[in-house]
């Protein structure tokens, strides 16, 4: 029997805000969820909205974001715009009472993120950062194995995310007006990975190579966590890196090969006894592009009446942004759009 007092009922009806690269991937992933359906899309222009709606089977197409946000049939909005728009777009949705899944980075700085979180909590509306790595089955398996002590106490993490993007000063990757740079776009993955296993760092040392547009084309982060564990992390927009992660413990180590944030296999090497042991390979295959798991989390939370995910809590998003603020502070790198911290 459906609960007549419940705020949401299955299927949860999704709207997608923005029609770019990740919006399309997310639309494909929605075809794999339970109790969820793509209903609407909002774009800055009607032709893009119509095209997207036709391609992915959305019944409602709006040529502006306000139309989508005010659609009474939409339950939750996935924000797929550039970093610089996340703050304003999230507040727009929350104001209209819509639940929100917002792309990473959640916004540009801690001041913006804390405001988003405060608004959501005040309005008792669901909000989550789309840190999809957290919901990949292999990552849950990794946590389970580490909690069970398979490699002992974690003492060190190495992880990197780097690829060679074609240089285009006007693209969102390189343009400071769109808060470009490796840190916010992809450095956030190794940082979130380290935070997941070792918590918010106590001390940070970092260096960046700033390119001609003034944003970090590559950067490295050395974190010390409570108890002395270290994370050695890097990200790059003009250098292809291994895109893998290693977790080193007192009794062994775990390798997550390329691409560690969305992997399907990990390898455990035990070093705690003298007899040579074969590495253990753990497989967690999944269909599709992997974005279905974060979408499923949102759906399950809404149907359970939750306003926050336990797996990707809002305090975790604030802490992650605090770490990135500290890192950028060490480089004196700021973006024009981060001055916006109050839209009312
Ligand atoms: N989770 C992941 O794996 C993943 C992967 C890629 C990107 N992302 C994140 O998703 C966000 C979007 O990335 P993307 O690669 O999808 O970007 P994109 O292809 O450039 O798409 C962004 C969309 O946002 C809308 N938009 C609103 N204001 C804009 C502006 N000033 N300039 C350009 N577009 C604007 C546009 O849609 P309309 O014209 O329809 O309004 C555009 O198509 C970023 O924050 C990024 O970090 C996440």
């Amino acid at each position: 029997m459906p609960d007549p007092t419940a705020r949401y009922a299955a299927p949860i009806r999704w709207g997608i805000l923005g029609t770019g690269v990740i919006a399309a991937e997310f639309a494909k992933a929605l075809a794999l969820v339970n109790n969820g359906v793509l209903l609407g899309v909002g774009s800055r222009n009607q032709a893009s909205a119509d095209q997207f709606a036709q391609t992915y089977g959305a019944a409602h197409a709006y040529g502006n974001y306000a139309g989508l946000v005010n659609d009474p049939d939409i339950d939750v909005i996935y924000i797929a715009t550039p970093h610089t728009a996340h703050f304003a777009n999230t507040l727009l949705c929350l104001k209209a009472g819509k639940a929100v899944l917002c792309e990473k980075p959640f916004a540009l700085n801690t001041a913006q993120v804390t405001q988003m979180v405060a608004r959501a909590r005040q309005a008792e509306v669901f909000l989550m950062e789309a840190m999809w790595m957290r919901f990949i089955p292999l990552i849950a398996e990794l946590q389970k194995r580490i909690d069970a002590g398979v490699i002992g106490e974690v003492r060190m993490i190495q992880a990197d995310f780097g690829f060679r993007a074609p240089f285009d000063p006007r693209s969102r990757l390189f343009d400071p007006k769109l808060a470009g740079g490796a840190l916010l776009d992809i450095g956030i993955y190794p940082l979130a990975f380290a935070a997941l296993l070792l918590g918010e760092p106590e001390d940070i040392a970092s260096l960046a190579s700033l390119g001609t547009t003034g944003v970090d084309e590559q950067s490295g982060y050395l974190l010390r966590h409570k108890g002395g564990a270290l994370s050695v992390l890097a990200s790059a927009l003009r250098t292809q890196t291994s895109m893998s992660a290693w977790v080193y413990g007192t009794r062994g180590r775990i390798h997550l090969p390329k691409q560690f944030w969305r992997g399907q296999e990990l390898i455990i090497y035990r070093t705690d006894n003298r007899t040579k042991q074969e590495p253990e390979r753990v497989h967690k295959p999944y269909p599709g592009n992997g974005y279905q798991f974060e979408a499923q989390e949102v759906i399950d939370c809404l149907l359970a009446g939750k306003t926050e995910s336990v797996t990707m809590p809002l305090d975790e998003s604030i802490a992650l942004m605090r770490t990135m603020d500290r890192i950028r502070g060490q480089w004196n790198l700021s973006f024009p759009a981060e001055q916006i911290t109050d839209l009312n």
Side-chain angles (χ1 to χ4, degrees):
M1 264 290 272
D3 175 359
T5 63
R7 190 166 182 177
Y8 301 102
I12 294 295
R13 299 158 302 176
W14 285 85
I16 297 183
L17 196 144
T19 56
V21 174
I22 197 62
E25 291 304 312
F26 191 80
K28 286 181 217 160
L30 281 182
L32 298 176
V33 301
N34 297 318
N35 294 326
V37 62
L38 174 61
L39 183 63
V41 60
S43 170
R44 293 168 302 169
N45 73 80
Q46 191 64 48
S48 300
D50 291 342
Q51 174 70 47
F52 192 95
Q54 197 187 10
T55 307
Y56 299 105
H60 303 185
Y62 297 97
N64 56 71
Y65 294 163
L68 179 74
V69 162
N70 291 309
D71 182 332
D73 295 330
I74 301 278
D75 296 312
V76 54
I77 294 183
Y78 168 63
I79 295 175
T81 52
H83 313 342
T84 41
H86 293 176
F87 176 63
N89 292 162
T90 296
L91 294 190
L92 183 74
C93 295
L94 292 175
K95 221 173 197 174
K98 300 301 186 203
V100 174
L101 173 67
C102 178
E103 258 310 332
K104 42 54 59 181
F106 216 11
L108 298 187
N109 55 30
T110 311
Q112 292 186 345
V113 169
T114 45
Q115 260 214 64
M116 287 154 58
V117 170
R119 298 277 179 101
R121 285 181 173 157
Q122 202 175 23
E124 296 178 12
V125 175
F126 182 89
L127 174 64
M128 189 178 97
E129 182 179 10
M131 182 38 74
W132 61 302
M133 174 179 71
R134 281 286 174 105
F135 305 97
I136 297 291
L138 192 77
I139 298 293
E141 181 69 19
L142 171 75
Q143 273 185 290
K144 204 174 88 189
R145 297 292 182 120
I146 288 176
D147 289 348
V150 69
I151 57 165
E153 184 194 343
V154 175
R155 297 302 299 156
M156 192 180 285
I157 289 173
Q158 278 180 321
D160 62 76
F161 189 153
F163 57 87
R164 188 162 169 82
F167 179 68
D168 174 0
R170 281 157 311 172
S171 84
R172 67 168 195 82
L173 293 183
F174 294 97
D175 187 349
K177 291 202 285 302
L178 293 172
L183 172 67
L184 291 189
D185 200 63
I186 48 180
I188 191 171
Y189 286 95
L191 288 166
F193 185 74
L196 173 66
L197 299 180
L198 293 171
E200 190 173 0
E202 290 185 338
D203 302 294
I204 302 174
S206 67
L207 282 173
S209 300
L210 304 182
T212 50
T213 62
V215 303
D216 62 309
E217 288 193 353
Q218 55 183 3
S219 44
Y221 333 108
L222 182 55
L223 317 181
R224 185 167 52 220
H225 305 264
K226 194 164 177 236
L230 292 180
S231 297
V232 184
L233 315 171
S235 66
L237 291 174
R238 297 279 294 150
T239 309
Q240 179 72 53
T241 69
S242 76
M243 294 181 160
S244 69
W246 283 94
V247 184
Y248 301 101
T250 48
R251 293 207 305 269
R253 63 188 190 275
I254 301 177
H255 183 43
L256 287 86
K258 185 182 175 177
Q259 304 167 340
F260 74 88
W261 58 92
R262 68 186 314 170
Q264 306 198 1
E265 182 196 36
L266 59 78
I267 306 135
I268 303 171
Y269 301 83
R270 291 185 176 80
T271 53
D272 59 344
N273 59 27
R274 296 224 171 96
T275 52
K276 188 163 163 37
Q277 283 185 16
E278 282 303 309
E280 182 188 354
R281 290 179 177 272
V282 181
H283 295 273
K284 287 280 164 192
Y286 59 80
N289 55 24
Y291 297 107
Q292 67 268 30
F293 303 111
E294 62 175 359
Q296 193 64 57
E297 169 74 0
V298 176
I299 291 166
D300 294 347
C301 283
L302 293 181
L303 292 176
K306 295 181 189 165
T307 53
E308 205 171 316
S309 162
V310 174
T311 309
M312 188 59 210
L314 292 170
D315 286 342
E316 180 84 20
S317 291
I318 295 173
L320 193 52
M321 191 51 77
R322 197 158 43 220
T323 297
M324 294 197 292
D325 278 1
R326 287 170 72 188
I327 291 171
R328 268 196 310 124
Q330 295 182 354
W331 314 334
N332 290 321
L333 174 60
S334 59
F335 304 110
E338 68 181 306
Q339 307 315 331
I340 307 161
T341 52
D342 190 6
L343 295 173
N344 284 313

